[in-house]
């Protein structure tokens, strides 16, 4: 367990205390269900619910001898209950308890992840609206492509987070199943109606069919979902890291008062938060691979998956919960430099409008191949001679036989190029977009298209 990053809420779900609490919830729900069916004396079920308790130290002491965690647990509980304890764990196998209880823990952990994603979406949405019309250069292959806005970049993040949220909710449903079907899933000792009653009491669905265990494709589905969500955060964090490079300088993760960037270089302001998120995403991905390997077990069950899950489930949930919390703080405090964005957009001397010029020529009956040649030769001159692209076009006799100076000017109109920004925002956010307070801007006013 990654204790350094553990938030109390998520840590509590994966604590030994909560583990045994959920085991006891399953055991008592089973006793109640069997009492209702006349399989267990009603007074015994009431006695179990009134007196059942556990002491973790005692469980661990017994386990040292039994080398079996569930037997140690039921023995420790029985010591608290007395004679009625003979009806505890009646007709159950260990995995009936462990797998059903673990479903409760995973569901609770998913709820916190859902809450974390929703909080991050709110932060991203606010910053997207703040920078809806803050122009910047779009980059493909790391090279200037065409103009966009920083708000559009954030809208892209928001849409991906919505998909992450949908995936987590779907995975939550997939793992919210229990089983009380016995040693090989045949209901040899208890009727399926008992399983249905227990699951209903715990807010779970009965697994339609199981072996000794709930099948691990469900857990792998959840773990790959967590890995995809972590990869989304990695993608966003990597973008901030790239834009924070000294040579670009358009965005910076928050740097607190008194924070230090380097033991050797006092000037350093490093994107350590985003780098941490990038690193933790690798951990969650690796855990997803372990979950995939847990799917294939011998016959109706072996125990090779159990030790793995004791590590990968808490670690992945704790890591992702931390990543969501930290990146939400980064987004809210993210420093944006609109003037630097505008400066970088203009750094390539207008060649980023080459595609628009190409289309204008094509509209006027110039073949695409010919138009491409004319535009490219001027773009290459702009690169190599460091001359203004528009000025080169206006001086090109071939182009000026087809286009007027006014038509060339229009091809460089930034507002026209970004005229559909509002349409995209409507598609992403609909009518629910709320304007958040402006984030921290340093050394520059907001540059807009208006």
């Amino acid at each position: 367990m990654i204790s350094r990053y553990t938030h109390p809420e998520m840590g509590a779900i994966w604590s030994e205390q909560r583990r045994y609490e959920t085991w006891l919830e399953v055991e008592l729900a089973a006793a109640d269900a069997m009492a209702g069916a006349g399989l267990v004396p009603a007074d015994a079920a009431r006695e179990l619910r009134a007196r059942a308790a556990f002491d973790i130290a005692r469980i661990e002491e017994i386990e040292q001898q039994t080398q079996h965690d569930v037997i140690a647990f039921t023995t420790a509980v029985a010591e608290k209950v007395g004679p009625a304890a003979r009806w505890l764990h009646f007709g159950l196998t260990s995995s009936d308890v462990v797998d059903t209880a673990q479903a409760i823990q995973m569901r609770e952990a998913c709820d916190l992840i859902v809450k974390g994603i929703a909080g991050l979406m709110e932060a991203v949405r606010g910053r997207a609206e703040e920078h809806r019309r803050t122009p910047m250069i779009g980059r493909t292959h790391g090279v200037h492509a065409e103009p966009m806005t920083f708000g559009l970049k954030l809208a892209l993040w928001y849409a991906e987070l919505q998909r992450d949220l949908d995936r987590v909710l779907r995975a939550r449903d997939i793992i919210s199943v229990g089983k009380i079907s016995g040693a090989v899933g045949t209901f040899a000792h208890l009727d399926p109606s008992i399983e249905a009653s227990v699951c209903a009491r715990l807010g779970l669905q009965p697994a339609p069919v199981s072996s000794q265990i709930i099948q691990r494709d469900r857990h792998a589905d959840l773990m790959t979902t967590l890995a995809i969500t972590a990869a989304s955060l990695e993608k966003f964090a990597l973008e901030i890291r790239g834009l924070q490079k000294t040579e670009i300088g358009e965005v910076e993760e928050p740097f607190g008062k008194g924070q230090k960037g380097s033991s050797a270089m006092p000037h350093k302001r490093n994107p350590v938060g985003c780098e941490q998120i990038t690193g933790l995403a690798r951990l969650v991905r690796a855990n997803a691979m372990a979950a995939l390997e847990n799917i294939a077990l011998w016959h109706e069950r072996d125990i090779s998956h159990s030790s793995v899950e004791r590590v990968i489930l808490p670690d992945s949930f704790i890591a992702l919960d931390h990543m969501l919390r930290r990146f939400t703080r980064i987004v809210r405090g993210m420093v944006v430099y609109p003037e630097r964005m505008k400066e970088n957009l203009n750094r390539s001397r207008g060649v980023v409008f080459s595609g628009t010029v190409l289309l204008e020529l094509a509209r006027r009956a110039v073949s695409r191949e010919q138009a491409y040649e004319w535009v490219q030769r001027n773009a290459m001159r702009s690169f190599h001679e460091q001359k203004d692209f528009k000025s080169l076009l206006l001086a090109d006799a071939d182009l000026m036989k087809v286009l007027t100076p006014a038509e060339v000017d229009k091809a460089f109109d930034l507002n026209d190029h970004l005229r559909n920004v509002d349409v995209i925002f409507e598609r992403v956010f609909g009518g629910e977009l709320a304007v958040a307070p402006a984030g921290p801007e340093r050394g520059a006013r907001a540059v807009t298209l208006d």
Side-chain angles (χ1 to χ4, degrees):
M1 188 176 294
I2 317 169
S3 58
R4 181 180 178 185
Y5 306 130
T6 305
H7 188 272
E9 283 185 277
M10 185 63 80
I13 292 172
W14 297 106
S15 66
E16 287 290 280
Q17 177 70 25
R18 184 59 184 148
R19 179 183 177 216
Y20 293 128
E21 284 175 354
T22 54
W23 286 12
L24 191 56
E25 286 178 32
V26 175
E27 293 279 9
L28 295 177
D32 289 341
M34 284 185 269
L39 299 176
V40 168
D43 58 347
R46 287 192 293 271
E47 185 76 2
L48 283 170
R49 188 159 286 281
R51 302 187 61 177
F54 59 85
D55 178 83
I56 293 176
R58 179 57 179 152
I59 295 171
E60 292 174 348
E61 180 184 0
I62 298 170
E63 189 176 356
Q64 289 297 314
Q65 179 180 357
T66 62
Q67 295 298 299
H68 194 290
D69 54 356
V70 176
I71 292 176
F73 169 76
T74 57
T75 302
V77 173
E79 292 175 349
K80 302 279 189 181
V81 173
R86 70 191 181 94
W87 300 106
L88 180 72
H89 204 68
F90 185 78
L92 305 183
T93 190
S94 296
S95 291
D96 288 336
V97 177
V98 172
D99 277 11
T100 303
Q102 187 167 263
I104 296 172
Q105 289 178 283
M106 290 188 292
R107 183 183 62 193
E108 291 173 349
C110 281
D111 288 341
L112 289 186
I113 295 300
V114 165
K115 181 180 177 182
I117 295 174
L120 176 55
M121 289 176 71
E122 180 182 1
V124 170
R125 184 177 65 178
R127 299 309 299 269
E129 176 61 21
E130 179 188 344
H131 291 286
R132 180 195 289 231
R133 305 188 70 78
T134 300
M136 68 180 298
I137 189 62
R139 298 172 174 91
T140 59
H141 305 274
V143 177
H144 282 201
E146 291 187 343
M148 59 180 295
T149 75
F150 188 54
L152 282 177
K153 189 183 292 288
L154 298 177
L156 189 82
W157 295 5
Y158 183 93
E160 184 163 341
L161 286 167
Q162 180 63 66
R163 294 192 296 276
D164 290 326
L165 180 60
D166 292 342
R167 279 187 284 262
V168 172
L169 289 171
R170 181 186 57 80
R172 181 189 186 276
D173 288 340
I174 288 172
I175 55 86
S176 293
V177 297
K179 60 92 60 181
I180 307 291
S181 55
V184 292
T186 59
F187 296 98
H189 305 294
L190 295 174
D191 191 82
S193 63
I194 299 299
E195 178 185 76
S197 177
V198 171
C199 289
R201 293 165 189 267
L202 299 172
L204 302 172
Q205 291 294 320
V209 59
S210 58
S211 59
Q212 188 176 95
I213 60 169
I214 293 171
Q215 299 306 288
R216 260 43 192 181
D217 64 286
R218 295 178 183 272
H219 301 65
D221 194 313
L222 170 64
M223 293 296 294
T224 53
T225 293
L226 299 184
I228 291 171
T229 304
S232 293
L233 300 183
E234 177 185 23
K235 166 183 168 180
F236 309 152
L238 189 66
E239 183 67 15
I240 293 176
R241 288 171 60 192
L243 296 178
Q244 189 167 333
K245 290 180 180 178
T246 304
E247 294 80 4
I248 297 176
E250 295 177 354
V251 175
E252 184 179 41
E253 73 170 52
F255 192 86
K257 184 178 180 180
Q259 184 175 341
K260 304 292 190 292
S262 167
S263 63
M265 297 169 284
H267 71 279
K268 294 282 280 177
R269 299 164 63 93
N270 301 326
V272 293
C274 289
E275 288 172 343
Q276 183 190 80
I277 288 166
T278 302
L280 289 176
R282 299 168 187 166
L283 174 69
V284 180
R285 260 198 304 280
N287 287 349
M289 182 59 69
L292 290 168
E293 296 193 9
N294 275 352
I295 294 174
L297 303 174
W298 281 27
H299 306 298
E300 278 57 61
R301 183 233 182 165
D302 63 56
I303 203 172
S304 60
H305 65 287
S306 178
S307 57
V308 177
E309 288 172 359
R310 290 177 190 237
V311 175
I312 65 174
L313 287 174
D315 276 13
S316 295
F317 273 110
I318 287 168
L320 183 56
D321 181 61
H322 171 77
M323 292 166 70
L324 286 164
R325 292 174 185 277
R326 180 145 199 189
F327 196 65
T328 299
R329 293 194 299 270
I330 288 172
V331 169
R332 286 176 177 157
M334 179 173 60
V335 184
V336 181
Y337 297 96
E339 292 289 354
R340 180 67 171 179
M341 290 179 174
K342 193 68 175 289
E343 178 186 341
N344 286 338
L345 193 159
N346 294 327
R347 188 179 297 276
S348 47
R349 294 174 292 278
V351 296
V352 296
F353 295 99
S354 68
T356 307
V357 179
L358 174 68
L359 294 179
E360 290 302 315
L361 290 169
R363 287 190 182 97
R364 289 159 180 80
V366 179
S367 72
R368 184 175 181 84
E369 292 73 22
Q370 183 63 79
Y372 198 102
E373 179 186 339
W374 290 350
V375 175
Q376 187 183 45
R377 75 189 182 198
N378 285 285
M380 295 305 104
R381 282 192 65 193
S382 177
F383 280 126
H384 296 308
E385 299 175 20
Q386 299 187 357
K387 292 184 177 179
D388 180 67
F389 181 54
K390 187 199 289 189
S391 298
L392 291 173
L393 295 176
L394 292 171
D396 189 304
D398 291 328
L399 272 90
M400 299 315 294
K401 289 176 184 177
V402 181
L403 298 176
T404 67
E407 289 167 342
V408 172
D409 281 340
K410 186 176 184 302
F412 286 76
D413 186 338
L414 185 60
N415 283 293
D416 185 65
H417 198 91
L418 299 172
R419 63 190 179 279
N420 288 312
V421 168
D422 290 341
V423 175
I424 299 171
F425 265 64
E426 179 65 26
R427 287 166 61 174
V428 174
F429 302 105
E432 299 180 0
L433 190 63
V435 180
E441 306 282 350
R442 292 191 185 139
R445 61 176 177 82
V447 179
T448 67
L449 309 182
D450 299 325

